[in-house]
Amino acid sequence: MPRGINNSDPMKESSYDVLIVGGGFAGSTTAWFLSNRGYRVLLIDSKPWNRIGDKPCGDAVSKDHFDDLGMPYPQGEELEQTVQGIKIYSPDMKTVWTVKGEGFELNAPAYNQRILKEALKRGVEVMDMTTASSPILEGGRMKGAVIFNRRTNETIRVEAKVTVDATGNARSLRMKLPPGIPVTEDLDDKDADVAYREEAITAEPIEDPHFLRIFVSQRAAPGGYWWYFPKGEQKVNVGLGIQGGMGYGSVHEYYRKYLGVYAPDVKEVVLRGGALVPTRRPLTSLVWDGMVVVGDSAFTVNPVHGGGKGSAMISGFCAAKAIMKAMEVGDFSKQTLWDMNLCYVSKYGQKQASLELFRKFLQKLPDEDIDFGMRKGLIKEEDLVEVSVKGTLKLSVAEKAIRLISGLSRPSLLMKLKTVASYMTKVKEVYNNYPTTFSELERWKAALNDMYAQFDAALDQ
Ligand SMILES: Cc1cc2nc3c(=O)[nH]c(=O)nc-3n(C[C@H](O)[C@H](O)[C@H](O)COP(=O)(O)OP(=O)(O)OC[C@H]3O[C@@H](n4cnc5c(N)ncnc54)[C@H](O)[C@@H]3O)c2cc1C
């Protein structure tokens, strides 16, 4: 029985410093950074232990994230394949860019559970098969959650100084709060990809198994892309994402129709599943009084490539840092927890906002323009690295392109690229001025929304 639970009441009650709801990458990283500090931390997850971290995913994560946060590298069974780079194929498959960069193809549940076990060993309590059914809100501030443990058949009222919503795309805690609280911001269907993947054994050994493959094609994955991520000599994670809310049809139909084009060597499927991926900037505020939101629930995914495990870890790191400060001063208000916003925005959120604009631009490009742009080198591999690392599309690239306009056949594409590059810089400036206090949030948000509206109008011209 977890420490602090009072067994005599009809509804059990317990109290903790921190309640973390959800044990995926975001929740378990938060727990890992909070562990060993003498706090009373409870992490719950609806899944049984052996399925925590088991969610449909491409499982590719850049090594930089582990280095940046000081997280342990995956090892042994946690690591399925080391990655040396990505090959990006144009829609007509005639141009292939190779972007080098180290990373890992994870056995995600194994790595996730290892992080959680380390946190457990260092004092965090973990309850599996336990679901938070409703938040406890008192005087407008978050005070914990009512949880149900399916192993013991107990309903428990858990009070906590800080409650962390790490519920992934379910967003199952924060969306039960009254509307009007900033952390209840909803997801527009168009700002998400519907993604599906299978893991399969291949008929032959995979060529270049240390390189991930990405196939861009509006025809075969409208508003998204196909991937082929080797997980070993003869094992692959293959899938696609398509933009939601556009009436494009079922992701499964695209999968069946184009599997033979992008993964002709698939022999035997060992795993299948899909989920939604948010592809927008993060929540305007990731904190409320007594509450922090992390991971997919806070929309921390990279809007262009849809990778969200590394940024879920960043959000967990920032959450833990902000909670530690709150514990130090004994104040759990949104203003003290605000450091979470400042940390996340500077580490990743600002880049996400800029990449959201790039994503919107890419989603409107016909295959012919992408073929043309890649073939002519309007953007080059190194520019793509710059975009993905810093969220900056170098104006010089677009300007260089503009100078070539006379000789090329698609001036409108080039002009648009220049517009996109300039708005990407502008949005980063807006994020540079992310408010330092809650009271400035609404004004800042109005300026941001204004900028996004201008960008959308410019893109539609
Ligand atoms: C098909 C697909 C491919 C992807 N490919 C990649 C990739 O290659 N690389 C990458 O980095 N990212 C990828 N992503 C994104 C990545 O999977 C997510 O961004 C990341 O796993 C999010 O982690 P999380 O901890 O926020 O959420 P989750 O991993 O979803 O964890 C949320 C946890 O909360 C629990 N939970 C939910 N509600 C409750 C509740 N009320 N009470 C208790 N527990 C609850 C769930 O059981 C779950 O364990 C992909 C996503 C998809 C769908």
Side-chain angles (χ1 to χ4, degrees):
M1 185 170 65
R3 188 169 49 205
I5 291 183
N6 173 355
N7 224 351
S8 59
D9 294 340
M11 187 201 279
K12 290 189 173 173
E13 289 181 6
S14 66
S15 72
Y16 288 86
D17 292 321
V18 186
L19 168 65
I20 302 171
V21 181
F25 267 59
S28 58
T29 307
T30 310
W32 195 81
F33 280 109
L34 282 175
S35 63
N36 228 6
R37 293 174 187 274
Y39 309 143
R40 287 171 307 125
V41 180
L42 172 66
L43 181 145
I44 63 166
D45 199 292
S46 304
K47 293 178 182 166
W49 251 107
N50 66 351
R51 285 209 43 236
I52 294 180
D54 175 8
K55 69 153 298 223
C57 189
D59 298 332
V61 186
S62 161
K63 181 170 166 284
D64 290 345
H65 289 299
F66 298 84
D67 292 336
D68 176 41
L69 300 174
M71 297 281 295
Y73 292 149
Q75 58 191 28
E77 58 145 10
E78 301 149 13
L79 176 63
E80 301 211 70
Q81 183 79 325
T82 51
V83 173
Q84 290 166 5
I86 310 176
K87 289 177 190 272
I88 303 171
Y89 293 75
S90 63
D92 63 8
M93 303 263 218
K94 288 186 180 151
T95 313
V96 186
W97 286 347
T98 302
V99 181
K100 292 212 170 132
E102 287 181 89
F104 306 111
E105 236 334 273
L106 300 173
N107 173 337
Y111 183 77
N112 196 143
Q113 287 166 32
R114 174 231 179 138
I115 292 302
L116 212 48
K117 275 180 201 145
E118 288 185 5
L120 180 76
K121 252 193 235 155
R122 302 193 315 215
V124 170
E125 292 176 37
V126 179
M127 266 191 221
D128 69 342
M129 293 182 71
T130 302
T131 299
S133 51
S134 54
I136 302 169
L137 200 68
E138 278 176 18
R141 59 182 302 135
M142 190 74 161
K143 288 276 179 153
V146 175
I147 65 173
F148 180 70
N149 183 327
R150 297 200 303 288
R151 283 198 188 277
T152 57
N153 254 331
E154 288 172 323
T155 302
I156 310 167
R157 180 188 156 91
V158 178
E159 290 205 355
K161 292 171 181 152
V162 183
T163 304
V164 180
D165 181 330
T167 59
N169 194 56
R171 293 168 260 145
S172 58
L173 202 59
R174 70 175 181 83
M175 291 313 280
K176 287 184 181 145
L177 294 171
I181 294 183
V183 293
T184 58
E185 208 172 334
D186 209 351
L187 181 65
D188 185 324
D189 290 346
K190 290 185 183 146
D191 289 333
D193 269 15
V194 185
Y196 176 80
R197 65 92 176 87
E198 291 183 352
E199 281 185 19
I201 307 301
T202 59
E204 304 289 334
I206 297 170
E207 199 182 311
D208 276 346
H210 296 283
F211 279 83
L212 308 176
R213 298 178 207 169
I214 284 184
F215 303 97
V216 187
S217 164
Q218 300 286 23
R219 195 169 40 97
Y225 63 86
W226 270 81
W227 70 85
Y228 180 106
F229 293 171
K231 270 185 174 271
E233 293 294 309
Q234 272 188 261
K235 189 176 169 200
V236 67
N237 178 311
V238 58
L240 79 156
I242 62 175
Q243 188 182 6
M246 301 293 287
Y248 287 136
S250 151
V251 71
H252 298 101
E253 278 170 27
Y254 284 95
Y255 188 84
R256 292 292 146 230
K257 189 164 173 194
Y258 291 100
L259 180 65
V261 176
Y262 300 113
D265 52 350
V266 159
K267 192 175 79 177
E268 185 198 337
V269 175
V270 290
L271 195 65
R272 47 170 67 95
L276 214 63
V277 189
T279 54
R280 47 159 283 173
R281 59 195 178 280
L283 277 178
T284 313
S285 168
L286 297 90
V287 302
W288 184 246
D289 291 317
M291 183 180 196
V292 179
V293 189
V294 290
D296 278 17
S297 183
F299 307 142
T300 57
V301 177
N302 180 306
V304 169
H305 60 55
K309 283 192 149 53
S311 40
M313 282 159 38
I314 295 175
S315 68
F317 165 82
C318 290
K321 243 178 80 179
I323 292 169
M324 283 184 235
K325 182 180 165 200
M327 290 294 294
E328 221 175 274
V329 297
D331 174 8
F332 307 96
S333 66
K334 53 185 169 300
Q335 194 49 57
T336 306
L337 293 169
W338 203 256
D339 277 13
M340 162 71 183
N341 284 330
L342 300 176
C343 171
Y344 186 75
V345 160
S346 71
K347 272 190 164 302
Y348 208 75
Q350 180 191 54
K351 177 169 108 174
Q352 260 183 269
S354 146
L355 288 181
E356 182 183 0
L357 302 184
F358 196 47
R359 182 269 286 172
K360 287 181 178 210
F361 164 69
L362 291 176
Q363 284 175 326
K364 291 199 168 176
L365 278 186
D367 280 348
E368 301 70 45
D369 279 357
I370 303 173
D371 284 332
F372 173 85
M374 286 181 71
R375 195 170 59 247
K376 296 285 182 189
L378 297 190
I379 297 178
K380 293 219 164 73
E381 284 94 326
E382 57 268 28
D383 304 318
L384 211 64
V385 173
E386 176 101 0
V387 171
S388 72
V389 173
K390 295 192 187 145
T392 313
L393 182 58
K394 275 198 224 144
L395 255 180
S396 63
V397 179
E399 274 165 359
K400 200 166 50 190
I402 302 286
R403 270 182 251 128
L404 294 171
I405 282 180
S406 52
L408 301 174
S409 55
R410 277 179 167 79
S412 66
L413 168 64
L414 302 173
M415 292 308 290
K416 217 153 249 185
L417 200 58
K418 186 171 156 60
T419 305
V420 173
S422 88
Y423 273 95
M424 285 172 74
T425 305
K426 275 190 215 166
V427 80
K428 288 189 85 175
E429 282 162 16
V430 175
Y431 267 84
N432 270 337
N433 293 314
Y434 185 83
T436 50
T437 61
F438 172 72
S439 58
E440 302 161 55
L441 187 67
E442 276 310 309
R443 201 154 39 97
W444 178 82
K445 191 176 164 186
L448 181 72
N449 287 345
D450 197 40
M451 216 222 70
Y452 268 83
Q454 283 174 30
F455 173 78
D456 286 339
L459 209 58
D460 283 339
Q461 270 171 19

